[in-house]
Amino acid sequence: MADTLTTLAELVRFNSLDVNPAEISDILNGAPVLAQLHAMMSSNGTNHVYNVETTAPVIGFRAVNAGADYTASSSTQTTVALKYIDATVREDIAQCQAYRGGSEAWLDRRTARQLRQALFTLEKQVFNGTVGGDASGFLGLADDANYNGLADALVVNAGGTTAGTGSSVWFIRSTPDDASMALVGAGDEGLSMDNINFVIGETFKAQIAGSNSKLMTALCRDIGGHLGVQIGSKYAAARIANLTADSGKGLTDSLLADALALFPSSDPPTHIAMSRRSLTQLQKSRTTYSPIGAPAPRPSEYEGIPIVVTDAILNTETLLA
């Protein structure tokens, strides 16, 4: 697919002295959940490997002078293949030099937009994986065998039936503890601290194909990194699935209680992520049993667990079976 370059008309919109320089957008591409996730450096470059204890040791009491069997715990090993997200900026040098603020200022504007969209793309991939996200991206929550079927122990069925209108609410646990969910980056071992190495590079010149397929000089900045998501333990997440706009099939406190009950008492979830539609459904469900008939306040937490609303969770999911 050919590049879609910034048009001269776009430059003119920003070059006028009587235009408010503020960045105003109609694009729903915030990444509020990503801002809450713990991040860690990959254990091994573009392949992050970790072990999960799957069988507990057997421990019991014994009488004095009587022996006891020893049964050790066992583990399975999981590998997360990190994928490169590319948000590189490429702008015609002639256009950059024509901007009243200068070439670097123009690139800064375009970089901010690229970065914002890149973070939103990452957040979509965390939830939707290759199922509803980018098929070339890393595996996300929706790909995980613990959360992709109604029979799974960590899935609560909301019972919606209208195809193509499904949504999910995700309970997630994300802490510095390796058992939790975390964003993983390949990292740069040359730095003195752990890092995910999501890079915004320096400006450089390059020859690229223009709109007429002939070469032109562009100013570029590399933006990107190898990233993925670790779901350390199966109890790092739980899912309320098949939420729809069908009557009685939206989000309620009862469904939230069912999902919360799936977590170990020692490792509760740290966040609840949902779409705007699910938040509205929850608010309206609370209004129906208000003792004075007043509208319920906009929900911001459940049992002390903060609710994070994101447009990265879709309302067009395929229903789980």
Side-chain angles (χ1 to χ4, degrees), residues 258-277:
D258 289 341
L260 180 57
L262 299 175
F263 283 83
S265 57
S266 58
D267 296 309
T270 55
H271 302 85
I272 305 171
M274 63 183 68
S275 70
R276 287 177 289 134
R277 188 183 76 181

Side-chain angles (χ1 to χ4, degrees), residues 12-79:
V12 170
R13 293 185 189 104
F14 285 91
N15 240 1
S16 176
L17 292 174
D18 59 0
V19 171
N20 182 347
E23 277 288 336
I24 302 170
S25 177
D26 282 337
I27 310 301
L28 301 176
N29 61 355
V33 176
L34 208 62
Q36 307 292 325
L37 282 185
H38 174 62
M40 64 170 60
M41 186 171 170
S42 169
S43 67
N44 184 34
T46 59
N47 286 304
H48 176 61
V49 184
Y50 61 96
N51 297 321
V52 179
E53 182 183 13
T54 52
T55 304
V58 176
I59 306 296
F61 296 94
R62 68 175 180 86
V64 175
N65 294 328
D69 293 327
Y70 173 72
T71 304
S73 66
S74 60
S75 305
T76 59
Q77 191 168 89
T78 300
T79 299

Side-chain angles (χ1 to χ4, degrees), residues 91-94 205-208 215-219:
E91 295 283 315
D92 185 347
I93 191 171
K205 293 181 181 178
Q207 293 286 300
I208 68 170
L215 291 178
M216 68 178 194
T217 301
L219 293 181

